Amino acid sequence: MESILHLLFLLQFLPLLSSSESYDPQVKYFMNCGSDSNVDLVDLRNFVGDENSNLSFSVGKSNSVRNENPLPGILPLYHTARIYTKISHYMLNITQTGSYLVRLHFFPFSFKKTHLADALFNVSAPNFSLLSNFSVRNSSTEFPVIKEFFLTIAEGNFDIYFIPADETRFAFVNAIEAFLLPPKFFIYDLNATPPLLTIDAALRTLYRINVGGPEVNDTLWRNWVPDNDYLTFGSSEQASCNGEPQESRQRPDFKDIAPDAVYRTCKKVSIYNNGPSNIPNITWRFNVSKEARHLVRVHVCDLVSQSPGTVSFYLNISANFSTVIDPNSDGVSDMSAPLFYDYVVSSDDSGYMSFSIAPNETSITKVAFLNGLEIMEFLGSSTIKMPFENERRKHLALKIGSAGGVALILREVSQFDN
Ligand SMILES: *[C@@H]1O[C@H](CO)[C@@H](O)[C@H](O)[C@H]1NC(C)=O
Ligand SMILES: *[C@@H]1O[C@H](CO)[C@@H](O)[C@H](O)[C@H]1NC(C)=O
Ligand SMILES: *[C@@H]1O[C@H](CO)[C@@H](O)[C@H](O)[C@H]1NC(C)=O
Ligand SMILES: *[C@@H]1O[C@H](CO)[C@@H](O)[C@H](O)[C@H]1NC(C)=O
Ligand SMILES: *[C@@H]1O[C@H](CO)[C@@H](O)[C@H](O)[C@H]1NC(C)=O
Ligand SMILES: *[C@@H]1O[C@H](CO)[C@@H](O)[C@H](O)[C@H]1NC(C)=O
Ligand SMILES: *[C@@H]1O[C@H](CO)[C@@H](O)[C@H](O)[C@H]1NC(C)=O
Ligand SMILES: *[C@@H]1O[C@H](CO)[C@@H](O)[C@H](O)[C@H]1NC(C)=O
Ligand SMILES: *[C@@H]1O[C@H](CO)[C@@H](O)[C@H](O)[C@H]1NC(C)=O
Ligand SMILES: *[C@@H]1O[C@H](CO)[C@@H](O)[C@H](O)[C@H]1NC(C)=O
Ligand SMILES: *[C@@H]1O[C@H](CO)[C@@H](O)[C@H](O)[C@H]1NC(C)=O
Ligand SMILES: *[C@@H]1O[C@H](CO)[C@@H](O)[C@H](O)[C@H]1NC(C)=O
């Protein structure tokens, strides 16, 4: 992979409806792994206990484990887990080809002398490596660790492979979500060079930021977090801004791209007439994998300028890329229209990616602003050698190594033929 940044952009107009109405996917799986009971979340997700198997899914050769002493306040969804001691796959019957959001939830607990936090494993989809050498210990976030992916899935069986690092280790998962995204969620622009996003590309979410605003959850159950932790230079001119994004006139199917709450707040930096001579900026920095391709989705909504066509500003990504954001570049004179821009950016070998906005010193309104930012990494391909043993054993006893080297016997709770 080249170390220089490759960047393309595509402008999309994105008038929004109020996003209070919830999205109801046509194809959806919300699985409560290792459990025989359903967990209904207040946000309209009903996680089905995956021991109640039916023909639309199978869990692969695995065991159910339960946390007998969960701390108060931990969601029942995380009281159980499914563990894999050998490579196996979780299968979902996908009834419609399309772009899917897939989430894996990990919340370690101890079961007798097994500590799920000791697990070290890979997770793969048929053509992509989802997680490599994954351990919840390596995660910098709090529990649950939720890993989110965007994949194009063809009608038929969709397999998620759990691959323990070696025979003494194991893999686990507490919950799995997979649901069809709204139409036109991604723009597959093959005419761009290099292609913006191809239908067979897959992405992993790294960051989703609500600039200048609070944490929010959206209609796709995605989590947006405040930007403050990622600010490196908030120049002294930096200010928060807020306002009301314009209601949708067209393309209501874009309302799930980002919630109004994201477009309602921003951070801005201005040049004042008597201000300093050098151009101020706001810069955010994010740790990313070295020399990896990313899809960056930038959300802006002009809540700042007084009349249309008076503002344009710079957006620079790391050292080598600069673009100009002009909310009215398409001749559209709407104010406060939610917009997003997609860029494909390769990271360099520094291990981070920085984003700077700076005003255009010659535009009428000398201000730069940002409302939201998403950074997703393109997944690498994977090939899985699946040692298939098509055997069905009813009362299989499995040995699971624990951290202290103590082996214990687990009774297999459910057994599926794969
Ligand atoms: C920026 O581009 C120059 C010239 O193409 C290249 O030498 C340099 O390594 C690039 N810097 C980064 C950080 O990618
Ligand atoms: C089987 O289980 C899945 C997952 O919970 C559910 O979506 C589906 O409706 C069930 N199918 C039948 C026929 O019960
Ligand atoms: C998947 O589900 C569809 C519709 O419920 C059904 O017709 C089809 O046979 C299922 N496929 C498999 C492989 O189970
Ligand atoms: C995996 O990639 C190959 C080659 O690109 C393609 O033919 C196949 O359909 C893909 N498999 C899935 C499950 O997407
Ligand atoms: C994962 O672990 C294997 C074996 O320990 C090692 O060869 C490989 O380089 C590691 N890969 C990553 C991405 O850490
Ligand atoms: C995660 O941590 C384990 C040790 O706990 C290590 O072996 C593994 O390589 C780490 N994986 C990554 C991706 O850093
Ligand atoms: C897990 O993935 C890493 C990196 O892709 C690879 O080196 C390692 O061999 C894989 N481990 C297993 C058990 O397949
Ligand atoms: C968003 O959802 C997460 C988990 O589903 C929850 O912990 C968090 O409190 C929610 N945040 C808001 C602002 O609703
Ligand atoms: C942003 O401004 C600071 C001074 O306020 C400066 O040190 C920094 O180099 C600028 N960043 C960029 C990317 O221009
Ligand atoms: C980013 O990476 C650097 C260097 O590895 C590390 O010191 C820093 O804590 C990381 N920041 C975050 C927010 O993870
Ligand atoms: C952004 O890039 C432009 C053009 O390369 C450059 O003039 C400007 O100084 C850069 N601004 C920041 C904040 O990095
Ligand atoms: C800066 O603003 C001026 C006046 O609107 C405009 O002519 C110029 O193209 C803008 N510069 C950039 C790089 O967009």
Side-chain angles (χ1 to χ4, degrees), residues 5 69 224 265:
L5 294 175
N69 298 302
W224 300 73
T265 61

Side-chain angles (χ1 to χ4, degrees), residues 281 314 316 321-322 356-358:
N281 68 73
Y314 294 101
N316 292 12
F321 192 81
S322 178
S356 297
I357 54 170

Side-chain angles (χ1 to χ4, degrees), residues 66-70 79 109-111:
R66 171 175 292 278
N67 186 356
E68 300 298 347
N69 298 302
H79 292 183
F109 54 79
S110 294
F111 174 83

Side-chain angles (χ1 to χ4, degrees), residues 5-8 284 294 296-298 314-323 341-348 352-357 373 375:
L5 294 175
H6 274 309
L7 194 147
L8 289 170
W284 295 265
H294 297 81
V296 168
R297 181 165 277 187
V298 172
Y314 294 101
L315 167 68
N316 292 12
I317 302 178
S318 293
N320 275 13
F321 192 81
S322 178
T323 188
Y341 302 79
D342 282 347
Y343 305 89
V344 174
V345 183
S346 287
S347 54
D348 54 29
Y352 62 84
M353 201 183 268
S354 65
F355 291 75
S356 297
I357 54 170
L373 184 61
I375 306 174

Side-chain angles (χ1 to χ4, degrees), residues 235-238 269-272 275-283 357-360 366 368:
S235 60
S236 51
E237 291 85 357
Q238 174 207 317
V269 60
S270 308
I271 303 178
Y272 297 104
S277 54
N278 56 337
I279 300 191
N281 68 73
I282 309 177
T283 302
I357 54 170
N360 170 0
K366 296 175 183 48

